[in-house]
Amino acid sequence: DAKTTQPPSMDCAEGRAANLPCNHSTISGNEYVYWYRQIHSQGPQYIIHGLKNNETNEMASLIITEDRKSSTLILPHATLRDTAVYYCIVRVPHAGGTSYGKLTFGQGTILTVHP
Amino acid sequence: DSGVTQTPKHLITATGQRVTLRCSPRSGDLSVYWYQQSLDQGLQFLIQYYNGEERAKGNILERFSAQQFPDLHSELNLSSLELGDSALYFCASSVALTAYEQYFGPGTRLTVT
C-alpha cells in the first residue's frame, strides 16, 4: 500500500470549509484513496473513498489531483462535532494473500474546529 | 451508531490473566476485523475473519487469538496479559472480504494492572 503524508494538525472555524490534504506520491494505478475519521476514543468512521474522479457524499467531498499524487478531503461546513483525527489511507481494494481487509492507519491529521 | 456492538466496554484485569472480548457485526456483514489502539502504536490491524475463516493477519501476538462463530459474532482472546496490552480494542465489520467500508464498534478499553 502506498505511503501517505498528512499534516499533524489543522484548525478551522465553525461554519467554514475544512480542507484536509493528503500526499500519496507513490500511489499505483489500482490503489484507492480512503478517508476515515476518529472522534476522541470512539471507533473510526468511514467517510469517503475514490479512485481518480472527485467524489461527494452527505459527509464530505474528495478531490483527487489529475496525477493522483495528492488528494483533499473537504468538509463543506465544519461543525464542532467534526473535531477529530482524520486518516487518509491508500490501498488496493481487492488485495488478496495476507492483506484482504487490512487498513493501515497512519498518524492522521488532528482537525480542531473552533467556535 | 455503526451497528457493530462490542462487549464489555471496559475491562480491568491483572497481569498474567486471560480475557475475552466479544464483537457482533452489523447485520449481513460477513467480515470481522480486530484492531488495537495504544498510545505509542496508534491503530494497528490484528486479524480478519470472513464467514468463519481467518483471511488476513497483522502483527498479532501469539498470546492473542480470535475466532468467528457460525452466527458471525467474533471473539478476541488475550492471554498471559502484560501491562503493554493495555489499549483500546476495536472490532469492525464489512459486507465483503475486501475493505471498501469498514464499520467500527465503540471499542473495549482494556487496562492491565
Side-chain angles (χ1 to χ4, degrees):
Chain A
D1 299 338
K3 181 178 164 57
T4 61
T5 304
Q6 298 179 253
S9 63
M10 294 183 66
D11 290 331
C12 178
E14 191 176 20
R16 305 296 295 267
N19 298 292
L20 294 107
C22 180
N23 183 287
H24 32 79
S25 58
T26 60
I27 192 170
S28 61
N30 59 349
E31 287 182 310
Y32 281 65
V33 180
Y34 297 82
W35 284 84
Y36 281 75
R37 74 179 182 183
Q38 185 176 23
I39 297 169
H40 180 63
S41 292
Q42 295 181 21
Q45 179 187 23
Y46 164 82
I47 301 173
I48 199 168
H49 74 274
L51 180 62
K52 54 183 178 181
N53 297 320
N54 298 337
E55 302 287 345
T56 295
N57 63 20
E58 66 280 1
M59 287 184 68
S61 294
L62 173 60
I63 309 296
I64 302 174
T65 58
E66 195 168 338
D67 63 7
R68 304 210 320 122
K69 293 185 177 182
S70 66
S71 61
T72 301
L73 179 75
I74 301 172
L75 308 178
H77 306 285
T79 70
L80 299 179
R81 283 179 292 184
D82 292 321
T83 293
V85 181
Y86 287 77
Y87 298 98
C88 169
I89 300 168
V90 173
R91 64 150 294 154
V92 177
H94 298 293
T98 60
S99 65
Y100 278 106
K102 174 183 176 181
L103 287 175
T104 302
F105 291 84
Q107 296 305 306
T109 296
I110 300 171
L111 174 69
T112 304
V113 181
H114 297 286
Chain B
D1 183 359
S2 67
V4 177
T5 60
Q6 290 187 247
T7 56
K9 283 193 169 61
H10 301 277
L11 199 47
I12 301 175
T13 189
T15 55
Q17 295 298 304
R18 172 189 169 94
V19 297
T20 297
L21 313 184
R22 183 187 167 103
C23 168
S24 292
R26 291 188 321 155
S27 177
D29 284 359
L30 298 178
S31 270
V32 169
Y33 314 79
W34 286 97
Y35 292 83
Q36 178 194 57
Q37 185 171 35
S38 58
L39 281 174
D40 56 343
Q41 295 288 327
L43 259 168
Q44 302 265 318
F45 168 78
L46 294 178
I47 198 162
Q48 176 193 3
Y49 279 81
Y50 177 78
N51 205 20
E53 290 188 24
E54 181 187 306
R55 299 307 291 262
K57 213 164 183 175
N59 294 327
I60 186 167
L61 298 172
E62 284 190 12
R63 299 183 286 108
F64 296 1
S65 65
Q67 54 184 323
Q68 186 179 27
F69 295 87
D71 66 352
L72 300 176
H73 90 271
S74 177
E75 293 180 357
L76 179 67
N77 301 296
L78 315 176
S79 61
S80 302
L81 285 167
E82 302 175 0
L83 295 178
D85 298 328
S86 295
L88 268 169
Y89 291 84
F90 291 107
C91 166
S93 73
S94 68
V95 169
L97 179 58
T98 53
Y100 272 100
E101 301 175 35
Q102 292 183 17
Y103 295 88
F104 284 75
T108 292
R109 182 174 293 280
L110 173 67
T111 303
V112 182
T113 61

